[in-house]
Amino acid sequence: AFERFDPDLMLVGASCTAELIQDAPGGLARALNLPVPTITLELPSYQKKENWGASETFYQIVRGLATEAPAPKLEGAKPSCNILGATALGFRHRDDVIEITRLLNQLGIEVNVAAPMGATADDIRRLPQADFNVVLYPEIADTAARWLERQYGQKAVRTIPMGFQATCEFVREAAALAGVDPEPVLSQHGSHMPWWARSVDSNYLTGKRVFVFGDATHAMAAARVAKEELGFEVVGLGCYNREFARDVRACAAELGVEALITDDYLLVEETIAALQPELVLGTQMERHIAKRLGVPCAVISAPVHVQDFPARYAPVMGFEGANVLFDTWVHPLVMGLEEHLLTMFREDFEFNDAAGPSHLGGHAKVEAAAKPAPEPEIAPVAAQIATQETISVLNWSPEATKELSKIPFFVRGKAKRNTERYAAEQGLETISIEALYDAKSHFAR
Amino acid sequence: MSDAVTLISPTSEARPVLRERGQREVFCGLTGIVWLHRKIQDAFFLVVGSRTCAHLIQSAAGVMVFAEPRFATAIMEERDLAGLVDANEELDRVVDRLLSRRPDIKLLFLVGSCPSEVIKLDLSRAAERLTKKHSPSVRVLNYSGSGIETTFTQGEDACLVAMIPEAPVASEDAPASLLVVGTLPDIVEDQFARLFNQLGIGPVAFFPPRNSQSIPAIGPNTKFLLAQPFLGETARALIERGAQHLPALFPFGAEGTTHWLKAAADAFAIPELHFLAVVAPGRERAKRALEAQKQHLAGKSIFFFPDSQMEPSLARFLSRELDMKLIEVGTPYLNRQLLSAEMEYLPETVTLSEGQDVDRQLDRCRAAKPDLVVCGMGLANPLEMEGISTKWSIELVFSPVHGFDCAGDLAGLFARPLYRRSVLKV
């Protein structure tokens, strides 16, 4: 490989199977005595996972190469920083780096090196020349950034600029480290997101129950945007990377929910089924779960499939990123007017629960054709709800079941759970229509 | 449960109402189609009008134009304006095509618009002619939803008036029956049907029906309750058919619903104790749910722009049950007879206005600095931009808001924009 590709740097590591064979590839590579740096990676593949591997590798590269002490700064030179963390197969990393570079340039800050995505071995050597670091993706860059801080005193901007407010905070933080004035940039942000969220069309988004899951960075940032910028109610928050479990727990506590730290998708599925959210923000996997449970979903984090590496410019960070988030998250929801009419008129043969949102076409026709006569329709609904049961099984009177089926699908699950909780608290054996409405007014407070 | 319910009789003294004319910001009656076509499942609404009418319906109906709709516009073109005979032939041709394409349609409304009214296209005669041609499979009716004659919800009023002649005649010796008039969400209809059943009132029918084949019979022993305040003409047409109107508050909130049910209970001689026993659980639930919304609404001032004629009733509910402060209550049309009970319950301090001169009204609104403004979509976002919280008024027509079990939801509609403003940090 060295002869054929003539690289500036070689990485040597073992796969899971090779790890069992114990050939010590690092030692072998050293013995070859190649004329370029060779970095040996110790990646315990039976304990750690992808993000840790990327983070460790990046750290070892930085540690191995970034050995030049910073040169004295020239008079009148612009403040500079590195953008750390973007990688191949990162969720929207390509456009996030463009967006954040633009933002930093507007502040008058130069980007010294963006790494690892797009960087060469020489670029890594120049890392210490910057005044500070921007840690865009802690999952990848946190370890390396901490080492750079210890070694060269480079401070790091740790606010993740995802969402409008977080971007503003990021701008202030970067400006403080660079010693520049953030106000011109903040006053001309040009983002449409705040007005979009405030306009009356968004009124119906208030209190929509949302479940957030993904890598810790994106999940925490998304939860904040969901609550403070779109007015959703965050009913669940979790991540699959244990390395950041503590941060996620703290964030969840602030939101008044319990954090779900797991890499078991079945547990995620159970949690979603129990919480009955109206929207799921998650990964490719949550998309499957949401589809199965019939809940709208948008993707906020890796792992993702090819459609989330779009051809168009689609950052999720910075001011443009805030615009993208708004569009992406609202799109899967049933729009205001249709939601109202679904609530008012239950018997429509064209617009009903089974037909799905009119603007997400394709499946409506097929379902409508397969729809049974109105009377037997009630039974499947009840059966389907019963399978999603998580609280102890209670008896629903046929009338109450029928009444429940009149509640529109996006809030029906929640209504059912609340009613059962209420019935359990009151010690009711059978749930009647009265109990259904008693529960409704009980939980209105 | 000591508070007995008594119905108040209207007093003779008329309170002052600010009457205004000028620029108006309201919908025309065509918009009623948006909810009526969903309520009456086998009806089709064919607007005879211009491209403007078609654009309006498309914008108002929003996403629903993507599916197979049950409304459309026969657009008048230049050659239709040349001679009226030609226009009638054109209309027949359009209707033939439409009905052959949609054999599931049993009731067709030809809906008049400003252009068709101005050129005096006789749609009622066209409806007669087409009924003859297509009966018995399809009935063709006509009403006007033009902006010249109707405002927003008055379109429903006109539509219901057109349907009344279709109702079977109930004989003089038919048992007393109750008719609930006005489009209600299906779930609310079911809630009311259960309450009437428990009270021992019946048979109860709802108008408009969910299906054109089941229009209820009307006769001298029919007593009717209006569920909506905008049905003045319908009420008159029903009275002409011999039905008796039961005047009441409209069923918004715990108080309004109790009063409304009481009007029916008295007409059917239901004993007071039985009435109280039946309504108590619902009334308690409503009060409990309202208590939860009170924290957001009590003491807040509110200003209503005219839109649906529901404004005085909603204002009464907000002021009496949620302690909101009323500044001005605008309504496109104030039917003093139907709203006499409501007006009794409105505080003396509130300005009642009928009609609109929108610039002047906006000046009054800005000067009053209300906490919440109820207005149409045309004004809502501009006022939000000025920092004034708004409640988009159309939503009040498009949500289940009647009766005990929707009282909390109704209050929630007003609380939500205020709550949203408090949570958003962008």
Side-chain angles (χ1 to χ4, degrees):
Chain A
F2 173 72
E3 274 175 17
R4 187 180 165 119
F5 295 106
D6 189 23
D8 297 324
L9 167 72
M10 296 278 288
L11 300 177
V12 184
S15 72
C16 51
T17 313
E19 206 184 318
L20 298 174
I21 303 171
Q22 299 200 329
D23 271 342
L28 293 173
R30 261 197 307 280
L32 279 176
N33 210 8
L34 294 173
V36 292
T38 306
I39 288 170
T40 307
L41 300 172
E42 292 290 339
L43 306 173
S45 47
Y46 295 93
Q47 288 170 29
K48 302 290 188 183
K49 290 188 284 284
E50 296 89 335
N51 276 341
W52 187 88
S55 171
E56 171 67 12
T57 305
F58 184 48
Y59 165 64
Q60 293 299 347
I61 294 172
V62 170
R63 213 188 133 131
L65 297 185
T67 48
E68 288 171 28
K73 227 170 159 131
L74 294 171
E75 201 62 33
K78 279 186 171 178
S80 68
C81 70
N82 303 312
I83 298 180
L84 303 182
T87 62
L89 299 185
F91 180 68
R92 308 292 170 89
H93 286 192
R94 177 195 71 191
D95 298 339
D96 284 350
V97 169
I98 297 173
E99 184 69 19
I100 297 306
T101 304
R102 193 179 291 165
L103 198 58
L104 290 164
N105 288 344
Q106 280 170 6
L107 281 165
I109 300 168
E110 274 179 354
V111 174
N112 177 46
V113 172
M117 192 173 71
T120 62
D122 272 340
D123 291 334
I124 301 295
R125 289 192 185 93
R126 290 194 293 113
L127 279 177
Q129 310 304 326
D131 296 321
F132 63 96
N133 289 317
V134 168
V135 180
L136 270 199
Y137 306 102
E139 274 83 358
I140 312 291
D142 192 57
T143 320
R146 285 186 198 284
W147 182 81
L148 286 167
E149 182 161 3
R150 278 199 304 277
Q151 207 69 12
Y152 302 110
Q154 282 179 331
K155 297 249 184 293
V157 178
R158 293 192 183 276
T159 301
I160 308 301
M162 191 172 143
F164 181 80
Q165 285 182 96
T167 302
C168 291
E169 277 166 37
F170 171 86
V171 166
R172 287 199 190 93
E173 209 176 320
L177 283 181
V180 296
D181 181 13
E183 291 312 318
V185 171
L186 292 179
S187 61
Q188 289 167 27
H189 60 77
S191 175
H192 304 295
M193 193 272 176
W195 170 244
W196 248 227
R198 284 197 169 273
S199 79
V200 295
D201 312 64
S202 297
N203 195 21
Y204 83 109
L205 302 177
T206 314
K208 278 229 180 292
R209 301 157 40 76
V210 51
F211 178 84
V212 186
F213 194 84
D215 67 44
T217 302
H218 285 91
M220 288 190 293
R224 183 175 179 198
V225 173
K227 178 164 188 252
E228 297 179 353
E229 304 187 8
L230 285 164
F232 292 145
E233 184 193 348
V234 178
V235 294
L237 170 66
C239 74
Y240 55 77
N241 48 339
R242 294 188 177 276
E243 292 85 351
F244 293 84
R246 188 179 298 179
D247 301 330
V248 173
R249 286 210 178 87
C251 181
E254 263 177 49
L255 293 163
V257 296
E258 195 155 334
L260 175 70
I261 314 292
T262 183
D263 55 5
D264 177 359
Y265 81 93
L266 293 174
L267 189 55
V268 176
E269 183 174 73
E270 270 173 32
T271 311
I272 293 176
L275 290 171
Q276 299 280 356
E278 291 163 76
L279 174 68
V280 171
L281 302 175
T283 72
Q284 179 67 29
M285 200 59 228
E286 278 66 55
R287 205 139 77 176
H288 294 291
I289 295 169
K291 185 176 178 189
R292 199 177 151 260
L293 298 176
V295 183
C297 176
V299 170
I300 56 154
S301 158
V304 287
H305 211 322
V306 66
Q307 69 268 51
D308 270 301
F309 294 99
R312 67 178 191 284
Y313 185 57
V316 293
M317 293 187 176
F319 292 122
E320 180 59 25
N323 295 342
V324 170
L325 292 183
F326 183 90
D327 287 347
T328 313
W329 297 3
V330 173
H331 180 237
L333 299 170
V334 177
M335 288 189 273
L337 177 69
E338 191 173 14
E339 176 173 315
H340 281 302
L341 291 174
L342 279 172
T343 309
M344 282 185 75
F345 306 114
R346 307 291 307 158
E347 293 177 351
D348 203 295
F349 60 88
E350 285 162 347
F351 303 96
N352 49 52
D353 285 0
S358 295
H359 66 297
L360 306 176
H363 55 300
K365 280 254 157 67
V366 186
E367 302 241 5
K371 198 176 164 256
E375 206 42 45
E377 182 199 21
I378 293 144
V381 169
Q384 183 200 338
I385 289 165
T387 57
Q388 292 168 14
E389 190 45 70
T390 52
I391 309 178
S392 63
V393 180
L394 286 148
N395 289 326
W396 281 74
S397 72
E399 301 79 44
T401 307
K402 197 170 168 187
E403 194 74 5
L404 183 71
S405 74
K406 294 173 192 164
I407 295 168
F409 65 94
F410 33 85
V411 287
R412 192 184 303 142
K414 168 79 174 164
K416 175 164 193 289
R417 252 168 47 89
N418 275 353
T419 308
E420 288 174 350
R421 187 140 61 101
Y422 177 81
E425 278 171 17
Q426 304 287 315
L428 303 175
E429 275 182 11
T430 306
I431 295 169
S432 61
I433 294 182
E434 289 285 307
L436 179 70
Y437 284 117
D438 279 341
K440 182 183 173 193
S441 76
H442 177 79
F443 287 106
R445 60 185 72 203
Chain B
M1 280 317 310
S2 58
D3 42 342
V5 184
T6 46
L7 297 179
I8 45 164
S9 55
T11 51
S12 53
E13 55 173 315
R15 57 188 292 164
V17 174
L18 179 64
R19 276 235 186 85
E20 279 196 314
R21 266 164 195 270
Q23 298 280 352
R24 298 199 303 159
E25 288 236 354
V26 288
F27 280 123
C28 68
L30 292 181
T31 41
I33 293 170
V34 174
W35 67 89
L36 285 167
H37 88 276
R38 299 288 295 274
K39 185 74 201 176
I40 314 170
Q41 291 272 308
D42 56 355
F44 194 99
F45 294 79
L46 183 66
V47 178
V48 182
S50 64
R51 277 176 212 288
T52 311
C53 309
H55 282 302
L56 170 88
I57 296 291
Q58 285 204 8
S59 326
V63 295
M64 292 182 303
V65 293
F66 296 134
E68 187 76 48
R70 290 189 295 272
F71 51 81
T73 310
I75 294 170
M76 301 195 300
E77 287 172 336
E78 208 166 5
R79 53 200 202 92
D80 299 319
L81 303 179
L84 290 182
V85 180
D86 184 34
N88 279 318
E89 277 170 18
E90 281 289 292
L91 183 62
D92 289 11
R93 193 179 53 78
V94 168
V95 169
D96 290 351
R97 240 178 112 200
L98 169 74
L99 292 178
S100 64
R101 192 166 168 272
R102 302 281 316 240
D104 45 335
I105 299 305
K106 299 282 175 264
L107 180 61
L108 175 68
F109 285 102
L110 299 178
V111 188
S113 65
C114 305
S116 72
E117 296 294 318
V118 167
I119 66 164
K120 305 249 180 284
L121 184 58
D122 194 340
L123 288 179
S124 66
R125 196 173 305 162
E128 268 173 42
R129 187 178 64 233
L130 287 162
T131 296
K132 230 174 262 169
K133 188 169 171 188
H134 294 282
S135 69
S137 58
V138 183
R139 298 277 307 156
V140 185
L141 299 177
N142 142 261
Y143 72 90
S144 171
S146 79
I148 303 170
E149 296 153 287
T150 58
T151 299
F152 195 33
T153 48
Q154 279 177 310
E156 175 173 333
D157 197 18
C159 174
L160 298 193
V161 169
M163 278 175 83
I164 287 175
E166 296 299 300
V169 178
S171 62
E172 301 240 344
D173 52 358
S177 66
L178 179 67
L179 188 65
V180 177
V181 184
T183 298
L184 288 173
D186 297 345
I187 196 164
V188 175
E189 263 187 29
D190 297 347
Q191 286 161 356
F192 281 147
R194 272 200 303 274
L195 275 171
F196 287 125
N197 187 31
Q198 285 169 21
L199 285 169
I201 296 174
V204 180
F206 292 86
F207 185 68
R210 295 185 194 186
N211 187 305
S212 72
Q213 309 298 304
S214 50
I215 300 176
I218 300 165
N221 289 326
T222 308
K223 301 173 198 293
F224 71 93
L225 271 177
L226 291 181
Q228 301 280 21
F230 45 74
L231 298 173
E233 292 301 314
T234 307
R236 215 158 65 183
L238 286 169
I239 291 166
E240 274 171 23
R241 280 279 296 260
Q244 302 153 43
H245 177 221
L246 307 176
L249 290 177
F250 288 91
F252 303 114
E255 180 183 53
T257 306
T258 309
H259 195 277
W260 189 76
L261 293 171
K262 177 74 176 161
D266 285 356
F268 283 78
I270 305 299
E272 176 83 11
L273 276 178
H274 179 59
F275 174 78
L276 288 175
V278 170
V279 300
R283 186 147 65 144
E284 286 314 302
R285 277 201 299 268
K287 284 182 177 165
R288 193 161 47 171
L290 289 175
E291 208 52 45
Q293 302 294 347
K294 232 179 193 173
Q295 51 171 325
H296 301 294
L297 295 173
K300 297 274 167 45
S301 61
I302 187 164
F303 190 109
F304 281 87
F305 279 80
D307 188 51
S308 65
Q309 298 185 50
M310 291 159 81
E311 295 85 0
S313 311
L314 295 172
R316 177 263 305 161
F317 161 68
L318 292 171
S319 93
R320 290 178 60 92
E321 300 191 44
L322 291 152
D323 296 340
M324 288 192 83
K325 222 166 68 194
L326 306 177
I327 297 174
E328 176 171 334
V329 177
T331 174
Y333 174 69
L334 186 67
N335 188 322
R336 281 164 187 71
Q337 229 172 349
L338 294 186
L339 288 171
S340 60
E342 299 282 3
M343 306 229 318
E344 284 293 318
Y345 278 42
L346 281 174
E348 286 298 320
T349 50
V350 61
T351 307
L352 264 174
S353 67
E354 182 182 14
Q356 190 175 37
D357 183 340
V358 72
D359 289 316
R360 281 208 222 161
Q361 198 167 23
L362 276 168
D363 289 344
R364 290 201 297 277
C365 174
R366 288 190 184 106
K369 291 194 177 66
D371 294 312
L372 190 65
V373 174
V374 181
C375 61
M377 199 53 155
L379 296 175
N381 274 327
L383 286 173
E384 289 280 346
M385 249 330 199
E386 293 179 22
I388 299 172
S389 285
T390 60
K391 165 75 230 106
W392 173 34
S393 57
I394 290 84
E395 206 170 18
L396 301 162
V397 181
F398 283 141
S399 306
V401 293
H402 297 75
F404 290 131
D405 288 312
C406 295
D409 300 338
L410 176 57
L413 286 179
F414 292 92
R416 191 153 66 174
L418 296 171
Y419 169 73
R420 183 170 183 81
R421 198 167 265 261
S422 73
V423 280
L424 284 195
K425 295 187 176 165
V426 290

